[in-house]
Amino acid sequence: MKVLLTGGAGFIGRHVHHQLLAEGHEVTVLDSFRPDVHADRPEPRPDLIVGDVRDPRTFDGIDTVIHLAAKVGLGVSLDDIDDYVSSNSLGMAVLLKSLGSIRNLVYASSMVVYGEGRYDCDDHGHVAPGPRRTEDLDAGRFEPPCPYCGAPLRPGLVTEDAVPDPRNAYAASKLNGEHLAATWARETGGRVTALRFHNVYGPGMPRNTPYAGVAAIFRSALERGETPRVFEDGRQRRDFVHVRDIATAVTMAASALPRQPAFTAYNVGSGTVTTIGQIAAELCRAYDAPPPIVTGDYRLGDVRHITASSDRIRHELGWKPSYDLSAGVADLVASGTD
């Protein structure tokens, strides 16, 4: 394939770029090198376009586009809602308009489009909890109750047919990108695969930028000689997936596009539920440091549990992760400061 890879200089993008080249594909990278993420801005070269996806352009000789470029982060403040919409929603719209005759697109979406994960009540079955209340969080009641009877809920795995419920600006912009891409596919006869990534970690994780996730935050604390501080009670459920496994999922999805329907969404995770406390403890052990501190603090925009089933991509594309948490953390620590 001749691939255009947007965001190819980023954390995930560099690993996808490496995987594409290893598989023998021709790759052109488009990256804006945002100054809040990248310290250096290289000169353009034949296989690198230094530019913003929001700038209209034409792409000659490209078979497939892999769209990773985005403003990511928590998105819990309205102060930067316009930047999320501009970078992600407008960026997707301009990119789609620029595709011309290209008909194959892989889009990096996110599990955040679901909001809270799946919950079941013993009396009311599958329910969608409402936003968590400040008074509950202040009192240390972190688990969302049944919206009908107030009883405790059982968290479970979200499947791709769940109704999205984005709960911050970033999540809303990623879901909007899916909707725009699906509209493009219907109108052009194109094919889109949206990959809803879980919590991605691994070598090259950004630190001290808006892209830094919880694993990167914990790792940076340990390298400063500090003990990681875990919010709430540390029992928030997540799925941490190694970046090299993400890269193989992306390239497999790209290769499969000609056989896919107009729009397909896949969850991409390790398949193992891990709590925030567990990832912090695993990193502490790897650094031979004291156990993490569980603070009881919270951020109102955070969801309690979000883990999803990745069975669909395993069954339909034959993808499966290669790293469990222990091996992935060991690889991360061995990578040093790259």
Side-chain angles (χ1 to χ4, degrees), residues 38-108:
H38 298 276
D40 301 313
R41 184 182 178 92
E43 293 297 321
R45 59 179 190 263
D47 63 341
L48 172 64
I49 303 170
V50 179
D52 198 301
V53 292
R54 291 169 290 188
D55 297 331
R57 65 187 75 238
T58 57
F59 302 111
D60 297 324
I62 297 296
D63 304 317
T64 299
V65 172
I66 298 173
H67 182 37
L68 305 181
K71 173 182 172 63
V72 304
L74 291 175
V76 297
S77 170
L78 290 180
D79 290 343
D80 51 5
I81 188 172
D82 52 342
D83 195 8
Y84 280 106
V85 172
S86 178
S87 299
N88 299 348
S89 298
L90 178 61
M92 172 63 93
V94 174
L95 176 66
L96 293 171
K97 188 176 179 179
S98 302
L99 292 185
S101 61
I102 301 170
R103 293 293 179 265
N104 296 315
L105 174 65
V106 174
Y107 171 52

Side-chain angles (χ1 to χ4, degrees), residues 302-323:
D302 285 354
V303 298
R304 176 62 175 173
H305 303 300
I306 176 62
T307 53
S309 168
S310 298
D311 286 349
R312 177 182 289 180
I313 191 171
R314 291 171 182 249
H315 294 157
E316 294 187 6
L317 299 188
W319 172 85
K320 61 180 180 179
S322 299
Y323 290 84

Side-chain angles (χ1 to χ4, degrees), residues 197-278:
F197 298 153
H198 279 258
N199 297 72
V200 186
Y201 73 100
M205 278 194 313
R207 53 187 80 199
N208 304 317
T209 79
Y211 283 69
V214 66
I217 293 170
F218 293 157
R219 180 194 189 196
S220 294
L222 287 161
E223 291 181 345
R224 293 192 303 267
E226 301 172 3
T227 302
R229 298 176 64 84
V230 177
F231 281 7
E232 301 184 19
D233 57 3
R235 297 175 184 171
Q236 308 95 302
R237 292 160 51 104
R238 299 292 189 269
D239 184 328
F240 291 89
V241 56
H242 194 278
V243 66
R244 292 196 186 97
D245 288 330
I246 288 288
T248 59
V250 170
T251 60
M252 290 181 73
S255 296
L257 274 168
R259 305 185 299 276
Q260 294 289 84
F263 181 86
T264 307
Y266 290 118
N267 298 327
V268 187
S270 71
T272 300
V273 173
T274 301
T275 68
I276 299 292
Q278 285 173 328

Side-chain angles (χ1 to χ4, degrees), residues 277-299:
Q278 285 173 328
I279 185 71
E282 189 74 32
L283 283 162
C284 287
R285 283 192 291 271
Y287 280 90
D288 195 23
I293 298 170
V294 178
T295 68
D297 296 337
Y298 65 86
R299 290 177 295 216

